[in-house]
Amino acid sequence: MTAASVITSLRGLPMMAKEELTMFAYIGFATLLFLIPAALVSAELGGAYAGRKGGVYDWVSEAFGKRTGFVAVWLQWIQNVVWYPTGLGFAAAAVAFAVRDPSLASNHIFVGLFCIGAYWLATLVALSGTGLLVKIAKRGFVLGTALPGLLLLGLFVYWIASGHPIGWEHTTAAAVASHGHPRLFPALTGLSTLAFLAGILLLFAGGESQAVHVSEMKDPKRGYPKAMWLAAGLAFAIFTAGSLAVAGILPYGKITLTTGVFDAYQSVLGGALHAGWLVPVIAALIGYGALSGALAWISGPSKALLSTAHDGLLPPALRRTNNKGAQRNILFAQGLIVTLISAIYLVTPNVSAAFFLISAMTVSLYIVMYLMLYATAIRLRYTAPHLPRSFRIPGGKPGMWAVAGTGFVAVAFALVLSFVPPAQLPIGSPAMYVALVAAGLLVFTGAPVLIGKLAKPSWRETPAVPDFPPLHEELTAPAAEQQPQAGSAPTLAATGAGPARHRWPHLRHHSH
């Protein structure tokens, strides 16, 4: 599930391939300055709070309070909701190739309607419970992402061995003539030439979203850190090899963000090997993988948001579940938002431009959550130094500052880039592009703050009680403070609390 949430599909390969060999600079930035710090931080926090079910909400709440934790998990949830039209837009392109009508992939009406219909179908699967969802997500990752990725790499090896022209060596003649070789580093003529970096960064995000399922593992304190490392390694391998293959097979001018992967298959199978009949089969598998990636995301963040509803930070209607335990009303609410955002395709004729615009909105929201995540990891090293951690970032506090600080600076830079229109795409009005991204960030970030101010005591699932220190402070308190004096009997007066169920309200929903 963790690997599927990071590698949701092969949709990001064309974006990296469009940078030709400079992709290595982008992948290096995303891996060293974001993926590795995010994996390390999530492994430490996930192992420390393995007994809870709120994921990012629990982590940030322990460091900065429940209101801030609510903002963090809201951003994790809403960016996921905004992201769906891009993930499902790639699935729409896969379906177009599967039915042997590639022109549908650039038909903005078809893409928009497909995103809306596919999302509601995924919602029905999520409402059936976690069991079916996990089965589809795991099989979809293997059959629809890993297997086609390996096949694409194999076709690229054949493409080189058989003497076909390499895409990055024969499409930018001016660049090769002036430098003597294909460019390895971005040509920095302005921030617009780096705009794709923010979108590429998003491709490596998402591992922390599955922390809400950590209590379902047999040995979460050891298993969750291993899952994070495995997901990080798979993401690096698949994205690097796959994007290199697309850039090597297709000329630069023919790489499009939504159909680049399928065009690469078509060039080798349909052209060189005369086996074009395989392209629709592979496209169907990739489409299945893209849909399963959406399923991997549909439950995690919304389940974490359910924890905030139990704590009274959302209206009571949003904590209702069905007989399978699925967060019914939250899933319906995010379905309505996905429908509205997918409508951007319906009014934007250029599918690639709409695809990137929605991606930029997603990046800006997710980056703010990651800023909070890195700050949380640093703060808990000071406020909860003795909290049992099955995995601990080495180097003590300086080590944590180095790892989390690096990730913080990297995503802050990417946040700036998310507001810059890319030079590689016909965005149209730069001012409108910036306005839409900024409006999305302000509206979706301001919403949890406003909801927090409007929250009422009656929203809580249990009667309001005074706030007490975080759980880790009680666990690490001196024994003398936790145990009654010899010969004395513990009383309610001595503890200064009411009944046990009121003294420890957070234990009602979370176990440690």
Side-chain angles (χ1 to χ4, degrees), residues 3-25:
S5 65
V6 178
I7 316 165
T8 53
S9 66
L10 301 180
R11 68 180 178 85
L13 301 187
M15 184 181 296
M16 290 186 283
K18 206 161 179 62
E19 296 298 325
E20 301 183 50
L21 291 188
T22 64
M23 73 176 73
F24 292 113

Side-chain angles (χ1 to χ4, degrees), residues 167-168 170-171 246-255 267:
W168 63 74
H170 297 272
T171 58
V246 173
I249 295 173
L250 294 178
Y252 175 81
K254 294 185 178 180
I255 299 177
S267 294

Side-chain angles (χ1 to χ4, degrees), residues 39-104:
L40 290 171
V41 166
S42 297
E44 176 167 322
L45 296 177
Y49 295 94
R52 302 198 188 184
K53 298 181 180 180
V56 169
Y57 172 61
D58 282 329
W59 306 345
V60 179
S61 294
E62 284 290 313
F64 299 107
K66 288 185 177 180
R67 289 279 181 92
T68 308
F70 173 56
V71 173
V73 76
W74 171 279
L75 289 173
Q76 184 191 53
W77 171 72
I78 197 64
Q79 70 79 27
N80 168 57
V81 175
V82 175
W83 164 84
Y84 271 114
T86 63
L88 295 175
F90 179 74
V95 170
F97 277 82
V99 298
R100 297 178 179 271
D101 188 0
S103 63
L104 286 175

Side-chain angles (χ1 to χ4, degrees), residues 200-411:
I200 291 173
L201 203 69
L202 180 67
L203 299 176
F204 292 85
E208 84 296 330
S209 68
Q210 298 306 317
V212 295
H213 298 300
V214 73
S215 61
E216 300 168 27
M217 301 178 74
K218 293 180 180 179
D219 187 4
K221 289 197 171 184
R222 291 183 175 87
Y224 185 72
K226 290 180 181 178
M228 289 302 303
W229 280 112
L230 178 60
L234 287 172
F236 175 80
I238 291 178
F239 285 144
T240 302
S243 55
L244 185 65
V246 173
I249 295 173
L250 294 178
Y252 175 81
K254 294 185 178 180
I255 299 177
T256 61
L257 298 189
T258 51
T259 66
V261 172
F262 310 106
D263 292 333
Y265 282 115
Q266 184 65 42
S267 294
V268 183
L269 293 174
L273 295 176
H274 305 289
W277 60 272
L278 276 174
V279 176
V281 177
I282 298 170
L285 289 175
I286 294 176
Y288 172 46
L291 291 174
S292 68
L295 281 173
W297 273 93
I298 199 169
S299 177
S302 59
K303 186 175 181 180
L305 196 66
L306 181 64
S307 296
T308 70
H310 286 304
D311 284 345
L313 295 171
L314 284 174
L318 292 179
R319 66 169 177 253
R320 293 175 184 169
T321 58
N322 62 10
N323 57 1
K324 299 289 186 179
Q327 50 280 15
R328 180 190 63 194
N329 288 3
I330 291 179
L331 289 174
F332 286 150
Q334 69 183 32
L336 293 175
I337 300 174
V338 169
T339 301
L340 292 174
I341 297 175
S342 296
I344 292 178
Y345 285 116
L346 302 179
V347 298
T348 306
N350 189 306
V351 173
S352 289
F355 185 91
F356 189 84
L357 172 60
I358 298 172
S359 296
M361 293 174 62
T362 305
V363 168
S364 63
L365 295 170
Y366 211 177
I367 284 176
V368 175
M369 191 284 295
Y370 271 105
L371 292 173
M372 300 171 72
L373 179 65
Y374 289 128
T376 291
I378 294 173
R379 179 171 174 79
L380 288 177
R381 278 294 185 95
Y382 290 87
T383 60
H386 303 298
L387 180 70
R389 293 167 166 87
S390 58
F391 169 80
R392 182 183 292 266
I393 294 176
K397 292 177 181 177
M400 174 58 77
W401 273 100
V403 172
T406 297
F408 190 96
V409 173
V411 295

